[in-house]
């Protein structure tokens, strides 16, 4: 069960946004990621609880930030309920999308599991509902993902396969690179892996 800490920052001006303390693990029905986020001063900022099935579909999502809460799952596309800080006004949403995304590294791992790309294959388009900080406002976005290469690197605990993805925003054309090792994000825009107590879990090869 990988356990560690990511630092989060603004991908454009590198302003520190805080940290995400996480643990995650694959199971018989998929993969689960749980984390607590903190502000740059160390105060509690929110939490993430994401579970995906063996095909990478989100079967449960629960986000908390600034008293806002989102609960969602894959249902007729993706469906969610967003609750305001007072708890008096809950709004429901549904979009014909493939999955959720947001600032948490968990979403990058989940999307990679959903797409199951192979090196050199054509880029795959994916529609996502992003919950944007700081109030978890939903935004539908389109991206394309391509697995550029997979390389094995020697470590103290054996070979570690690192996957390099190229991700493009289809509305702006902006491109960025994501490096994953199993169920851990090594680097991505706005994300740096600072501590990792145990090695990443290895997912089975795409069938």
């Amino acid at each position: 069960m990988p356990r560690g800490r990511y630092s989060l920052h603004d991908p454009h001006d590198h302003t520190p946004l805080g940290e995400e303390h996480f643990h995650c693990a694959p199971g018989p029905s998929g993969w689960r990621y749980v984390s607590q986020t903190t502000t740059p001063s160390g105060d509690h900022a929110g939490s993430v609880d994401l579970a995906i099935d063996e095909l990478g579909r989100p079967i449960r999502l629960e986000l908390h930030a600034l008293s806002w809460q989102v609960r969602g799952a894959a249902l007729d596309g993706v469906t969610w309920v967003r609750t305001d800080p007072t708890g008096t006004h809950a709004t429901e949403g549904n979009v014909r999308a493939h999955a959720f995304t947001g600032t948490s590294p968990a979403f990058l791992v989940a999307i990679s599991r959903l797409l199951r790309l192979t090196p050199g294959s054509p880029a795959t388009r994916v529609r996502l509902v992003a919950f944007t900080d700081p109030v978890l406002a939903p935004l539908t976005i389109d991206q394309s993902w391509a697995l550029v290469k997979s390389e094995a690197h020697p470590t103290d605990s054996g070979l570690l396969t690192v996957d390099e993805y190229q991700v493009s925003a289809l509305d702006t054309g902006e491109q960025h690179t994501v490096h994953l090792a199993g169920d851990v994000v090594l680097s991505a825009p706005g994300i740096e892996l600072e501590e990792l107590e145990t090695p990443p879990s290895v997912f089975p090869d795409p069938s």
Side-chain angles (χ1 to χ4, degrees):
M1 177 186 292
R3 182 184 300 270
R5 174 174 59 90
Y6 294 108
S7 63
L8 307 177
H9 57 268
D10 187 291
H12 301 290
D13 62 14
H14 303 290
T15 300
L17 300 178
E19 295 185 335
E20 188 161 328
H21 300 257
F22 73 95
H23 63 272
C24 56
S29 60
W31 178 75
R32 186 180 180 194
Y33 176 102
V34 177
S35 70
Q36 299 289 324
T37 56
T38 57
T39 66
S41 61
D43 295 330
H44 178 73
S47 63
V48 179
D49 189 341
L50 173 65
I52 60 175
D53 65 13
E54 60 183 1
L55 298 178
R57 298 172 299 193
I59 55 177
R60 187 183 69 256
L61 171 67
E62 185 169 329
L63 300 176
H64 292 266
L66 293 180
S67 298
W68 291 88
Q69 175 180 293
V70 167
R71 295 177 184 267
L75 181 66
D76 295 327
V78 293
T79 299
W80 69 91
V81 176
R82 176 173 174 263
T83 305
D84 66 293
T86 66
T88 57
H89 301 288
T91 57
E92 297 184 5
N94 172 263
V95 172
R96 287 289 183 179
H98 300 93
F100 300 110
T101 191
T103 56
S104 174
F107 295 112
L108 299 176
V109 176
I111 295 168
S112 74
R113 295 304 298 157
L114 178 71
L115 299 180
R116 306 290 179 99
L117 301 176
T118 55
S121 60
T124 297
R125 178 172 178 158
V126 60
R127 171 158 288 186
L128 306 166
V129 172
F131 293 107
T132 57
D133 290 335
V135 295
L136 303 179
L139 176 67
T140 303
I141 63 173
D142 292 294
Q143 294 180 340
S144 72
W145 280 59
L147 179 53
V148 178
K149 59 183 176 180
S150 295
E151 293 184 340
H153 299 266
T155 68
D156 293 340
S157 56
L159 289 177
L160 181 68
T161 299
V162 177
D163 295 326
E164 178 184 326
Y165 292 89
Q166 181 176 283
V167 181
S168 302
L170 296 183
D171 56 345
T172 64
E174 182 180 5
Q175 296 183 342
H176 59 266
T177 301
V178 172
H179 289 95
L180 302 180
D183 58 355
V184 172
V185 178
L186 301 182
S187 66
I191 299 168
E192 293 294 338
L193 179 64
E194 301 291 350
E195 293 180 5
L196 186 63
E197 297 180 9
T198 50
S201 300
V202 178
F203 288 114
D205 291 332
S207 57

